[in-house]
Amino acid sequence: EVQLVESGGGLVQPGGSLRLSCAASGFTFSSYVMRWVRQAAGKGLELVSGISASGTYTYYADSVKGRFTISRDNSKNTLYLQMNSLRDEDTAVYYCAKVGGSGNYDVPDYWGQGTLVTVSS
Amino acid sequence: EIVLTQSPGTLSLSPGERATLSCRASQGVGNSYLAWYQQKPGQAPRLLIYGASGRATGIPDRFSGSGSGTDFTLTISRLEPEDFAVYYCQQYANFPRTFGQGTKVEVK
């Protein structure tokens, strides 16, 4: 059974930093693209960042480029999101998601339960 | 950036009724790379449909997707009590991947 368990969320002041982790199990982690998607309270979904299976290629939304860094440790089956220079508008639930495959199936097919990040003074 | 507009914003129906949800794209979605997700309160999204019409693993056949180009539809043939939720469409033809704003299916 595929399991994705996020951790590391919490309350942080504007300008602060936080590191999210996502522990994966139930599939061959090193074979799949992974992504972080966030959702502000009562709002829709936003793709924040993605990383290729090997970690060579990364993607960032314009809203977080230069502030967030995605990485992965395939030996530990863990995905990370380092968030620096946090802003009020980064407040959201952050989900990690496994991508199903390529082409037609290049979509998140499994999601974690999310971790809440609150940026406030 | 492809903007996805979902309609209606809220759909009020009774169990057993048919639900038809629309997702319109601001430009053509190449290869029909359009997905649908279901989200219940306090839960993560669940993949329902990929490639506009392919059902994800374990999704009941009362859920079906159709469409191409700029107009896509999610149909729930007979609403079950567990189907009342928010539904999002997402395009993955281009970066940035974008989501619609969601349609809430509520009990009438």
Side-chain angles (χ1 to χ4, degrees), chain A residues 60-101:
Chain A
Y60 298 96
D62 286 346
S63 57
V64 305
K65 202 171 291 183
R67 300 187 298 122
F68 289 12
T69 302
I70 191 171
S71 62
R72 64 192 296 162
D73 186 335
N74 285 345
S75 69
K76 295 182 178 180
N77 291 348
T78 303
L79 175 71
Y80 303 99
L81 186 67
Q82 177 67 43
M83 304 186 296
N84 298 331
S85 303
L86 283 161
R87 305 168 180 168
D88 291 350
E89 55 266 33
D90 296 319
T91 295
V93 174
Y94 285 72
Y95 297 101
C96 77
K98 167 190 168 291
V99 171

Side-chain angles (χ1 to χ4, degrees), chain B residues 41-107:
Chain B
Q43 296 186 17
R46 178 173 72 143
L47 177 66
L48 299 175
I49 300 289
Y50 64 95
S53 60
R55 259 189 306 275
T57 303
I59 301 304
D61 60 8
R62 64 180 181 273
F63 291 91
S64 63
S66 63
S68 64
T70 59
D71 290 301
F72 298 87
T73 300
L74 174 70
T75 301
I76 310 171
S77 59
R78 294 173 310 280
L79 282 165
E80 297 288 339
E82 62 267 28
D83 298 337
F84 292 92
V86 178
Y87 293 83
Y88 294 96
C89 58
Q90 183 216 356
Q91 67 80 22
Y92 53 105
N94 295 344
F95 280 99
R97 308 294 199 231
T98 48
F99 293 85
Q101 82 281 14
T103 289
K104 181 179 182 180
V105 178
E106 65 175 22
V107 178

